[in-house]
């Protein structure tokens, strides 16, 4: 089970995985499409608009991050449930969701994806703004099959799909961590899969976003996925040399810090132009 609970203060990885089966499976879907089953609520976002948004986002994200061979139709389709209240959202998503507004779950059995689900909590304007971020996690799972993408890569790429407002906060968090000396070492960032303190979370999200930006600017954005796959197979030092001609993690640390300082607290343009808003 690959589960991502995403939010500025979410303790990702400490969450008890919840089964996909719940009330949403028993209830009828409001609308379905080739790749999605969608349920919203009375007075909430339009199911028809959500369907169009989901399909178009999925296509755009696949074109940026996946190879042609991985751009297949989803079977099973991705269930998307938009919740009207925090209590409904937390009941579906489980413990640890209090500070989040989106969750994605990809269930894998024997190397095959057997379930995809996104839960979203609307904001006061009745907008489910976490959809692009959560959908990015589900799209990336197709490339990694049964393996879990490294957390920094999964969250850094998904955060690229966040609104400009959210990305601005992540950049500020990264800059603050660098200035205060609380920034994680890159070697620690690359291997972190479970937070040990709430203080790590804002630095982790901000640094992951800027690390993804830095690496994506060294070549084509999709090479990030090649890099992560190579790192899983043969380690980060070798993968850095092979894909980016960077001489290992220490060299990456020097180059990335120089890059991050040069950016300051400004928010760079999202590299994912198909979804940039
Ligand atoms: Zn996330």
């Amino acid at each position: 089970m690959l589960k991502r609970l995403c939010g500025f203060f979410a303790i990702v990885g400490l969450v008890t995985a919840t089964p996909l089966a719940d009330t949403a499976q028993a209830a009828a879907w409001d609308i379905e499409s080739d790749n999605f089953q969608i349920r919203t609520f009375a007075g909430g976002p339009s199911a028809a608009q959500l369907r169009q948004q989901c399909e178009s986002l999925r296509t755009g994200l696949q074109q940026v991050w996946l190879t042609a061979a991985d751009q297949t139709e989803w079977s099973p389709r991705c269930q998307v449930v938009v919740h009207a209240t925090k209590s409904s959202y937390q009941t579906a998503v489980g413990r640890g969701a209090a500070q989040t507004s989106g969750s994605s779950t990809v269930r894998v059995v024997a190397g095959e994806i057997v379930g995809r689900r996104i839960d979203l909590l609307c904001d006061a304007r009745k907008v489910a703004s976490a959809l692009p971020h959560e959908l990015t996690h589900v799209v990336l799972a197709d490339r990694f099959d049964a393996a879990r993408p490294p957390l920094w890569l999964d969250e850094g790429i998904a955060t690229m799909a966040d609104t400009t407002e959210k990305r601005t906060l992540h950049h500020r968090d990264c800059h603050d961590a660098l200035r205060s000396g609380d920034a994680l070492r890159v070697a620690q960032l690359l291997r972190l899969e479970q937070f040990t303190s709430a203080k790590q979370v804002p630095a982790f999200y901000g640094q992951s976003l800027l690390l993804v930006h830095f690496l994506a600017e060294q070549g084509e954005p999709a090479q990030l996925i090649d890099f992560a796959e190579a790192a899983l197979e043969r380690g980060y030092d070798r993968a850095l040399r092979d894909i980016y001609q960077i001489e290992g993690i220490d060299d990456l640390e020097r180059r990335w810090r120089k890059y991050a300082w040069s950016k300051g607290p400004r928010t760079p343009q999202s590299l994912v132009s198909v979804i940039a808003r």
Side-chain angles (χ1 to χ4, degrees), residues 88-244:
S88 162
Y89 172 73
Q90 287 187 27
T91 299
V93 170
R95 187 163 59 88
Q99 301 291 337
T100 74
S101 60
S103 167
S104 53
T105 306
V106 175
R107 193 168 58 174
V108 178
V109 173
E112 293 288 326
I113 292 178
V114 298
R116 299 175 171 89
R117 173 163 168 144
I118 293 173
D119 287 272
L120 299 166
L121 178 61
C122 281
D123 61 20
R125 297 167 299 155
K126 300 278 176 66
V127 174
S129 61
L131 174 64
H133 180 119
E134 300 307 328
L135 195 49
T136 304
H137 287 313
V138 180
V139 167
L140 288 179
D142 280 349
R143 181 74 184 263
F144 287 87
D145 298 325
R148 187 173 186 155
L151 188 58
W152 70 271
L153 181 95
D154 207 11
E155 292 300 347
I157 288 179
T159 302
M160 272 191 176
D162 278 339
T163 60
T164 301
E165 183 184 14
K166 278 190 178 178
R167 287 187 294 111
T168 297
L169 292 174
H170 288 307
H171 274 264
R172 185 204 61 190
D173 287 341
C174 178
H175 196 64
D176 286 351
L178 285 169
R179 282 173 19 130
S180 67
D182 288 334
L184 301 159
R185 301 287 298 172
V186 168
Q188 187 185 6
L189 186 80
L190 294 176
R191 297 191 170 98
L192 194 150
E193 289 296 328
Q194 194 161 304
F195 298 114
T196 52
S197 76
K199 191 174 154 188
Q200 285 179 330
V201 180
F204 175 83
Y205 274 83
Q207 288 184 247
S208 294
L209 177 59
L210 260 88
L211 184 57
V212 160
H213 263 280
F214 170 74
L215 291 172
E217 289 178 18
Q218 309 305 305
E220 290 297 317
Q223 282 181 288
L224 268 167
I225 313 295
D226 298 334
F227 168 63
E229 286 181 329
L232 286 171
E233 286 172 15
R234 49 189 189 268
Y236 277 112
D237 284 331
R238 176 96 182 271
L240 281 164
R241 280 192 288 273
D242 291 351
I243 307 287
Y244 292 118

Side-chain angles (χ1 to χ4, degrees), residues 55-88:
E55 287 288 354
S56 130
L57 274 170
R58 176 184 175 277
T59 301
L61 288 164
Q62 283 190 329
Q63 287 171 350
V64 173
W65 300 116
L66 302 189
T67 62
D70 287 323
Q71 294 177 32
T72 55
E73 293 211 335
W74 277 348
S75 177
R77 289 178 282 184
C78 183
Q79 302 172 349
V80 178
V81 180
V82 186
H83 298 269
T85 65
K86 201 161 208 173
S87 67
S88 162

